[in-house]
Amino acid sequence: MSEGVEWALHCCLNLAWAGGGRALPAVKLAGYHDLPPAYLNKQLQALARAGIVSSVSGPKGGFRLAREPERITLMDVVAAIEGPEPAFRCADIIGRGPGAQAPGRGPESCLIDLAMGRAELAWRRELAAQTLAGLMEQVERGSPGVPGRVRRWFADA
């Protein structure tokens, strides 16, 4: 996965902690984590296309969550940034070269492809079972004051 997934997840958490449907500019979100604003804006645009955040224009514009944190899964964010394609793609090398298997024994019978497919399905299910709200709860339990620091920083910035 690209670093854009990490950036997008942290920005979604920050938007949730900012609360009240408040819109935050990409520059402010980038400043909080010392990220390049232009590149972060591309990640935020991908989240907007996926309906995870919405873009607000005007002097108090920026980005805000488009739905409640309980309705945003980690898989939603991964798919928005990385796309829906599988992480592993079998190139059918089992059917090429001097070690090639007989015709009809391609990717559908490749044990590596099958194992990778099962692993990816498990990974996607796990990500789909975890919501942004669940992450927020875990952070708040493990790091007292984190949401307060986030809110204060965005209020002061």
Side-chain angles (χ1 to χ4, degrees), residues 53-126:
V53 301
S54 59
S55 179
V56 178
S57 59
K60 294 193 178 211
F63 294 90
R64 65 176 171 220
L65 290 182
R67 53 189 195 247
E68 301 81 29
E70 296 81 11
R71 294 186 48 234
I72 300 171
T73 70
L74 301 187
M75 190 65 231
D76 293 336
V77 175
V78 169
I81 302 300
E82 296 291 314
E85 295 82 26
F88 178 79
R89 291 171 207 67
C90 182
D92 194 21
I93 67 167
I94 198 169
R96 301 191 308 229
Q101 289 190 2
R105 296 207 24 136
E108 65 279 353
S109 64
C110 175
L111 293 178
I112 292 171
D113 186 48
L114 294 172
M116 295 299 285
R118 283 191 308 273
E120 182 163 349
L121 181 58
W123 171 74
R124 287 177 178 268
R125 284 180 178 156
E126 182 65 24

Side-chain angles (χ1 to χ4, degrees), residues 1-18:
M1 272 186 281
S2 70
E3 62 188 4
V5 171
E6 178 186 9
W7 296 6
L9 285 166
H10 280 286
C11 286
C12 286
L13 283 173
N14 291 340
L15 291 172
W17 280 322

